[in-house]
Amino acid sequence: MSSMERFTQSEELRRDELIRLIEHSVEKLTLPELEAVYYDMLTKGYING
């Protein structure tokens, strides 16, 4: 099953909106804040090193 098949159109639109909001917010973070977010995501398994 492809990722496009997994989401309905409204879910995909909401997902895209959330990604844009997160990207916009991340661009404003300082280096220490980015490192903290990275570490948090890494320890929760959202990022694979």
Side-chain angles (χ1 to χ4, degrees), residues 6-27:
R6 196 174 60 209
F7 297 109
T8 66
Q9 184 176 8
S10 62
E11 287 174 326
E12 190 66 29
L13 290 174
R14 180 64 177 149
R15 184 177 183 278
D16 290 345
E17 177 186 7
L18 289 170
I19 289 171
R20 280 192 301 277
L21 288 169
I22 291 167
E23 286 176 341
H24 182 71
S25 298
V26 166
E27 289 173 350

